[in-house]
């Protein structure tokens, strides 16, 4: 079906209410399932999702988190039954 699945997590997002880059979403092609986990600098999990339309809005327990760098861990299952594990960081800018 595909040579190499494409998975994208933005390296920054701006949840400031302007409807542009307000939410951090996983995007890609040939993704059947995924689990995205986001952690703060102390290693506390602040978000988890396995739904394409459920991205992170920069909040934790209903409160906005401050500007900063957050680590993500992503596990993807492709339609070809390949598992892709990816990690990196994204900067929250308010």
């Amino acid at each position: 079906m595909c040579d190499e699945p494409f998975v994208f997590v933005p390296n920054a997002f701006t949840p400031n209410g302007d409807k542009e880059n307000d939410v951090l979403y996983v995007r890609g092609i040939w993704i059947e399932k995924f689990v995205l986990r986001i952690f703060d600098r102390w290693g506390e999990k602040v978000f988890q999702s396995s739904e394409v339309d459920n991205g992170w809005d920069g909040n934790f327990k209903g409160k906005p988190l401050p500007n900063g760098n957050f680590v993500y861990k992503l596990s993807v299952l492709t339609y070809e039954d390949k598992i892709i594990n990816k990690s990196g960081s994204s900067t929250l800018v308010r």
Side-chain angles (χ1 to χ4, degrees):
M1 181 194 285
C2 63
D3 293 328
E4 186 62 37
F6 172 73
V7 179
F8 175 75
V9 179
N11 61 10
F13 71 113
T14 58
N16 57 11
D18 69 357
K19 299 190 191 301
E20 292 186 29
N21 304 312
D22 281 343
V23 178
L24 186 146
Y25 289 108
V26 172
R27 294 292 182 239
I29 55 175
W30 294 294
I31 296 173
E32 182 173 354
K33 296 178 184 178
F34 74 87
V35 175
L36 171 68
R37 295 176 318 229
I38 299 177
F39 302 89
D40 65 16
R41 63 182 175 177
W42 296 282
E44 182 173 10
K45 183 170 57 173
V46 297
F47 180 78
Q48 180 170 322
S49 178
S50 58
E51 299 175 27
V52 172
D53 293 328
N54 183 23
W56 185 43
D57 62 2
N59 292 329
F60 180 54
K61 295 183 178 179
K63 296 183 180 176
L65 290 172
N67 291 341
N69 211 19
F70 292 83
V71 172
Y72 68 84
K73 294 191 182 279
L74 176 66
S75 183
V76 173
L77 175 65
T78 71
Y79 284 111
E80 292 184 334
D81 290 327
K82 287 184 181 179
I83 295 175
I84 299 171
N85 291 306
K86 186 173 184 174
S87 62
S89 64
S90 187
T91 302
L92 185 159
V93 180
R94 292 209 180 265

